[in-house]
Amino acid sequence: MTDPLLPGDPAELGGYRLLGRLGQGGMGAVYLGEHPDGRLVAVKMIRPELAPDTEFRARFRSEVNRARQVPPFCTAEVLDADPDHPTPYLVVEYVDGPSLSAVIARNGPLGGGALHSVAVGVATALAAIHGASVIHRDLKPSNVLLAPGLPKVIDFGIARAFEATSRHTRTDQMVGTVAYMAPESIDNEHFGEVGPAADVFAWGAVITYAGTGRTPFRADSPTATAARILTQPPDLTGLPAPLRQVVARTLEKNPADRPTASELLQLLLDLDPGDKTELIRPELLQAAAAAQNNPRPHRRPRRLRRTVLAGLGVLALGAGGLFASHTAGGVSKTVNPAESAPAWQRADGGPALIDRLDRPAQWREWVEAEGRCLFANGRLEARTGMAPVFRCSGPSDPFAKDQAIRVGAAILTPGSCAAIWFRMVGTEGPLASLCETEVRLGLDTADGVTGEVQAALPSALGRVRRVEVLVRDQQATVSVDGAAVLTKQFGAAMPAAGRVTFGVLDAAISGNAHVAFTGAEVVAAASRSAAPSASGPRPRFADLTRGNVTSVATLHAYDPAHASAVLEPMLFLTGDAYCRAFQIDRSDDRCVHHAWMTESSNTKVTVPIAANAKYFTWEDPDGAVHMDAPEKGGTYPAGAKKFAQMFKKGEASMIAVTTEGGRITRMAVVYTP
């Protein structure tokens, strides 16, 4: 339901026309907005008192960038944001449906298939959110919207921006609604740090409320409720038995005893069909399957299904002729080998992964009986073993919408194919294969590769070829050495989002397929209709992979054993310098009153660490902290061992980094969680 705008409400924000009020929350006012192209969106305007806070803006910017990477599986997609606007705002997908809390208040508790649908939908959303390394932190019935067909979870990941704002959050104040808080959110001294398991606990409380009309630790006051969460078992009376057992597991006091979001989703899908089929819609089951994002490489033997070419064959009409292919089950474009690869441009601020593939970092080593992926000879080499297909263990970062993949690939033994999976969900997704004398493009499923189309190539055994896959909407184009050779329209079979990784196929069933990869780049590509950014110019970020540079960066992974780090370059500027970089009027509040501003590149790069690299922290030998020059990081020597201990939890931290010749020579702590 939309209410009229109030006196003092803006009529427009960031180019979005505001049509009415959807609500008011702790974050600020929520408006129904209209995009210039006519689409309806939800525009969340941050509370005005937070606008002058530099710390809040920096945290808000970081959390929004993370939230943008969450795939749209039962979540309201983050569409736009401007943390640097005089009144910061966030734009998300408009979900035309009531909240779970409103439905329960109006109609009473849910039951049967309706309850199970909500349970599966919210678990699906958590699996997608956690798969993008985001934590919701404020999951509650009012943040679950019951859209037609699919429940949608909103406001994920943003609570931390408020939690970390010291100027507006008292030290004894908790962010969230007590009835849905995990024990560690209330008392982390005894129950450990707040992580994804807290969202799983909140799921259990939300589903208890959905099925009974009350929370599992209900008491007369927030303080009494918190005490019951810390000390008493949950009251699950009224929940159906199979679901009650799953909910009980999610409400364990110890976070380690709760299932992960992916495990929770599998538990729900494995329940007896009699408890879930009545009202669960096919699109919800499809979203649930898509959200089960397993970053581990393929484990079980699989058979390859090659499309039989009946009478048509593959034509190779000389070195200067046409490469043509026609196969059942797909649409293949006939192209000239001289035709240039389709142009693409990285989406403004979109995610990117860059890795030389010369050492373990974003892609990792993996050895099993079915095959192995190891780093040797300065590249990633993949071999089959007992299985004809083997995937390397790659990054879990999901990519949605348009994207481009570039990688060098070499076929090292006859009958081998270098495989590139994209939009991969679990172990399935579109597959581009560079083989010894052809390129293939199809859909990898549990039954093998289906709908495959092919195009012939001259043999280049042992030579590195530059392969590019460009994905636009539901179509993919493969180019080799700068020439487009194959296009396929996947249609509805193309997943909405998924991971990218590499591997090997044994087309000859020899048991010894062997390929190599080098120099990987995966980016979100700008769509054909993308308009220029309304937030002003995007400045250049430091290229840590070459030359001699110094920059502040987010440290995502640190592996001293393999001398590698995964970094995300960022800007860490005074307010005045930030306004110059973004061409903001010098009279703007950000230029005058903000001591420091940050901007993330949203680009993860693997950078080698020099043998003589130096490490620094803010702590002096006596343990005192001295933060004199934040942009340069700590100045007290730490040593590689102490530095490794600081980051062993794998949480993203901010460091000042210096590289020489593309190798890290200095890392200094700026901020750790």
Side-chain angles (χ1 to χ4, degrees):
M1 181 177 179
T2 306
D3 295 322
L5 295 175
L6 298 177
D9 282 339
E12 180 270 343
L13 190 60
Y16 298 90
R17 187 164 68 96
L18 304 186
L19 306 176
R21 273 182 166 251
L22 293 173
Q24 179 86 28
M27 185 178 185
V30 185
Y31 300 96
L32 177 64
E34 184 179 53
H35 188 275
D37 67 6
R39 284 180 298 159
L40 294 180
V41 296
V43 181
K44 305 194 175 191
M45 188 175 73
I46 304 305
R47 299 200 310 263
E49 64 267 27
L50 291 172
D53 193 312
T54 304
E55 181 185 0
F56 167 76
R57 285 182 184 267
R59 176 66 68 172
F60 181 61
R61 182 182 300 106
S62 174
E63 297 307 314
V64 166
N65 285 338
R66 290 175 182 269
R68 275 175 157 165
Q69 300 180 39
V70 174
F73 303 141
C74 293
T75 61
E77 185 177 8
V78 176
L79 302 174
D80 191 11
D82 190 352
D84 302 316
H85 192 273
T87 306
Y89 65 87
L90 172 71
V91 181
V92 301
E93 171 192 356
Y94 171 62
V95 180
D96 188 10
S99 68
L100 177 62
S101 56
V103 170
I104 301 303
R106 184 175 66 243
N107 301 327
L110 304 178
L115 176 61
H116 201 99
S117 291
V118 170
V120 171
V122 179
T124 296
L126 288 186
I129 292 167
H130 294 175
S133 299
V134 174
I135 305 173
H136 193 296
R137 289 177 172 260
D138 194 22
L139 180 65
K140 55 190 177 184
S142 60
N143 281 336
V144 179
L145 303 184
L146 302 184
L150 291 174
K152 295 270 190 174
V153 171
I154 62 174
D155 283 356
F156 45 85
I158 307 303
R160 189 177 180 189
F162 292 86
E163 184 181 64
T165 306
S166 59
R167 193 177 304 174
H168 300 281
T169 304
R170 302 190 308 270
T171 55
D172 63 344
Q173 181 179 349
M174 297 173 293
V175 174
T177 304
V178 172
Y180 304 95
M181 282 186 171
E184 62 269 26
S185 300
I186 301 170
D187 182 4
N188 56 31
E189 180 178 351
H190 294 93
F191 292 95
E193 297 182 359
V194 176
D199 287 346
V200 173
F201 186 96
W203 176 93
V206 167
I207 299 309
T208 301
Y209 172 80
T212 66
R214 52 173 171 72
T215 56
F217 301 96
R218 183 176 59 178
D220 294 334
S221 68
T223 301
T225 298
R228 288 190 175 184
I229 290 173
L230 294 173
T231 62
Q232 300 298 314
D235 179 5
L236 304 181
T237 305
L239 284 178
L243 183 60
R244 183 171 65 245
Q245 296 168 2
V246 176
V247 170
R249 289 188 57 182
T250 68
L251 296 175
E252 292 285 351
K253 307 297 184 193
N254 186 347
D257 293 336
R258 301 171 207 150
T260 66
S262 293
E263 291 169 344
L264 169 61
L265 183 53
Q266 190 61 57
L267 287 171
L268 294 171
L269 295 175
D270 286 345
L271 289 183
D272 185 273
D275 296 303
K276 66 178 182 180
T277 56
E278 181 185 355
L279 295 176
I280 287 191
R281 300 170 65 94
E283 54 265 42
L284 175 55
L285 293 177
Q286 182 180 10
Q292 289 177 299
N293 191 347
N294 178 11
R296 293 169 63 86
H298 176 63
R299 282 181 167 272
R300 67 186 189 279
R302 294 268 299 278
R303 65 185 179 88
L304 289 176
R305 179 189 297 173
R306 290 190 57 184
T307 306
V308 178
L309 304 180
L312 293 177
V314 179
L315 306 179
L317 304 181
L322 293 176
F323 293 147
S325 64
H326 304 271
T327 57
V331 179
S332 173
K333 176 187 175 185
T334 300
V335 296
N336 190 304
E339 181 180 337
S340 298
W344 60 271
Q345 180 181 0
R346 180 181 170 186
D348 185 28
L353 308 174
I354 299 173
D355 196 317
R356 298 177 184 176
L357 297 182
D358 62 346
R359 65 195 64 216
Q362 299 184 75
W363 275 264
R364 297 167 292 280
E365 294 187 319
W366 196 266
V367 178
E368 291 186 352
E370 289 88 349
R372 59 189 184 272
C373 292
L374 298 171
F375 289 89
N377 306 308
R379 58 193 183 183
L380 174 61
E381 297 192 1
R383 292 176 179 265
T384 58
M386 296 179 63
V389 184
F390 194 73
R391 294 181 181 84
C392 298
S393 180
S396 59
D397 303 68
F399 280 77
K401 301 180 180 177
D402 297 345
Q403 68 182 101
I405 305 141
R406 286 173 172 168
V407 68
I411 309 303
L412 302 181
T413 57
S416 305
C417 298
I420 303 170
W421 284 270
F422 53 97
R423 297 276 184 95
M424 187 172 70
V425 178
T427 59
E428 300 183 9
L431 168 64
S433 305
L434 175 70
C435 305
E436 183 181 353
T437 59
E438 63 185 6
V439 177
R440 306 174 184 171
L441 190 56
L443 187 66
D444 193 5
T445 71
D447 295 323
V449 181
T450 63
E452 194 173 59
V453 295
Q454 304 168 340
L457 286 176
S459 177
L461 193 65
R463 180 170 69 83
V464 175
R465 284 172 150 170
R466 204 68 191 161
V467 183
E468 179 180 302
V469 181
L470 176 62
V471 183
R472 288 199 184 281
D473 300 322
Q474 296 172 320
Q475 178 176 290
T477 299
V478 180
S479 302
V480 179
D481 294 332
V485 295
L486 195 60
T487 295
K488 177 178 172 63
Q489 177 62 247
F490 284 87
M494 173 79 77
R499 299 178 295 112
V500 172
T501 198
F502 311 124
V504 57
L505 309 179
D506 187 357
I509 316 298
S510 65
N512 189 35
H514 188 190
V515 302
F517 297 93
T518 182
E521 180 181 6
V522 183
V523 305
S527 63
R528 296 184 181 92
S529 59
S533 172
S535 58
R538 188 169 176 83
R540 294 175 61 88
F541 293 87
D543 184 354
L544 302 178
T545 64
R546 65 185 70 189
N548 302 340
V549 299
T550 297
S551 175
V552 174
T554 300
L555 177 63
H556 289 280
Y558 171 62
D559 185 355
H562 295 102
S564 68
V566 178
L567 300 171
E568 183 176 354
M570 63 186 303
L571 299 180
F572 189 75
L573 304 171
T574 63
D576 182 66
Y578 184 90
C579 290
R580 289 199 305 271
F582 284 90
Q583 299 180 18
I584 299 172
D585 189 285
R586 300 290 289 279
S587 64
D588 190 282
D589 177 71
R590 289 166 287 181
C591 312
V592 179
H593 298 296
H594 288 206
W596 297 99
M597 300 286 289
T598 62
E599 183 76 12
S600 175
S601 65
N602 212 10
T603 300
K604 293 182 181 178
V605 297
T606 298
V607 188
I609 303 173
N612 61 346
K614 306 298 183 183
Y615 306 87
F616 300 88
T617 73
W618 293 114
E619 294 184 6
D620 67 17
D622 297 325
V625 176
H626 304 274
M627 301 180 67
D628 299 324
E631 76 279 16
K632 296 181 180 179
T635 57
Y636 295 97
K641 183 176 180 180
K642 182 176 180 180
F643 200 83
Q645 291 174 343
M646 295 173 62
F647 298 102
K648 65 182 179 180
K649 296 178 182 178
E651 296 185 49
S653 304
M654 193 185 301
I655 65 169
V657 60
T658 299
T659 63
E660 297 179 9
R663 289 182 175 270
I664 297 172
T665 57
R666 181 183 187 273
M667 287 197 285
V669 173
V670 173
Y671 165 81
T672 56

